[in-house]
Amino acid sequence: MAAVAMDIISGAIISGIEKAHEDYQRMSGGLWVWTAAEYVLTTYIAKELSDMQGAKFVTVESNGQSSMDYAGAIAPGPKPSKARLSGRFDILLWWGKAQPRAVIEVKNQPGGPSGWFHDIERITSVLKIGREKSSIKFGAFAYYYSAADGELLSAPQKVLNKFERVKAYVQENISNSYVVEQVISEIHDEGPEGAWGAACLIIKHV
């Protein structure tokens, strides 16, 4: 069975976030998923990735150091502290041959970079470890964002602006060594209640 294409992977991530919002809104009697635990997004994304056609496995909360061992990411000396290998990855996407392919970090309603850029640094640090031998070939930063209408900007425009700011900040800080691509959902305009959307940054070596 063939490996899953990148556009299918990013599409599954976006779909997972959208389904998490829609289902949580229904089950909670109208609340948006930004009010829920981040883990809701994680599980929905993992389920959509699992449902993709093609050779893959998906695990949630995989141990960092064990994941690198499975990936064959062997490098001399201490590992980068920003990789946080003593912790767990939100989602690990595996090749069909049972080696990790991608690290996926998830964020619900991110604020300023101080609250989420450490996840980008984790992804890039993981990609650096044993680069030539590692089976991990890319990372993804998946996030949900919503906004209410403001005095100057509409809710949909605020959501779109957020997506653009996140992408620009990441590119500004890592584009010398990595290719950064962002896929976004439709901006869902809910009228007086505000607007929301899903985004996924794919990070790969240049």
Side-chain angles (χ1 to χ4, degrees):
M1 189 177 290
V4 185
M6 290 295 299
D7 61 327
I8 301 298
I9 294 170
S10 58
I13 291 172
I14 294 295
S15 178
I17 296 171
E18 291 182 311
K19 288 183 178 179
H21 174 94
E22 292 162 358
D23 283 0
Y24 191 74
Q25 187 177 33
R26 175 184 51 78
M27 73 175 70
S28 67
L31 296 178
W32 287 19
V33 78
W34 70 265
T35 65
E38 197 165 85
Y39 203 75
V40 174
L41 296 177
T42 302
T43 53
Y44 270 79
I45 292 169
K47 177 64 166 59
E48 288 298 300
L49 290 169
S50 177
D51 287 345
M52 297 183 302
Q53 295 296 312
K56 85 290 173 191
F57 300 104
V58 181
T59 55
V60 177
E61 295 289 332
S62 294
N63 176 271
Q65 186 58 64
S66 296
S67 299
M68 301 310 291
D69 291 343
Y70 282 121
I74 301 170
K79 303 300 186 291
S81 61
K82 290 180 179 179
R84 291 181 274 137
L85 296 184
S86 61
R88 296 176 179 273
F89 299 125
D90 289 342
I91 300 172
L92 203 63
L93 177 65
W94 299 64
W95 297 97
K97 60 185 178 182
Q99 285 184 298
R101 180 181 181 184
V103 170
I104 301 170
E105 295 294 312
V106 180
K107 207 68 172 175
N108 191 0
Q109 198 70 12
S114 63
W116 55 263
F117 192 70
H118 62 278
D119 284 337
I120 304 298
E121 292 177 317
R122 186 182 205 189
I123 290 168
T124 56
S125 295
V126 166
L127 291 175
K128 288 178 184 176
I129 300 172
R131 174 181 174 180
E132 299 303 321
K133 296 182 179 179
S134 176
S135 65
I136 298 176
K137 299 305 180 186
F138 72 94
F141 178 65
Y143 63 105
Y144 166 96
Y145 190 75
S146 64
D149 282 325
E151 292 185 6
L152 299 178
L153 295 174
S154 68
Q157 189 61 55
K158 289 166 73 174
V159 173
L160 182 59
N161 287 358
K162 179 67 173 185
F163 291 161
E164 292 174 347
R165 287 197 305 272
V166 169
K167 179 183 178 182
Y169 188 87
V170 173
Q171 286 182 322
E172 179 182 342
N173 282 275
I174 71 170
S175 61
N176 286 342
S177 302
Y178 299 91
V179 175
V180 178
E181 301 171 354
Q182 181 162 254
V183 178
I184 66 172
S185 71
E186 169 191 351
I187 307 299
H188 299 273
D189 186 352
E190 305 288 356
E193 295 184 27
W196 61 276
C200 172
L201 281 170
I202 301 293
I203 300 168
K204 299 178 289 186
H205 283 291
V206 172

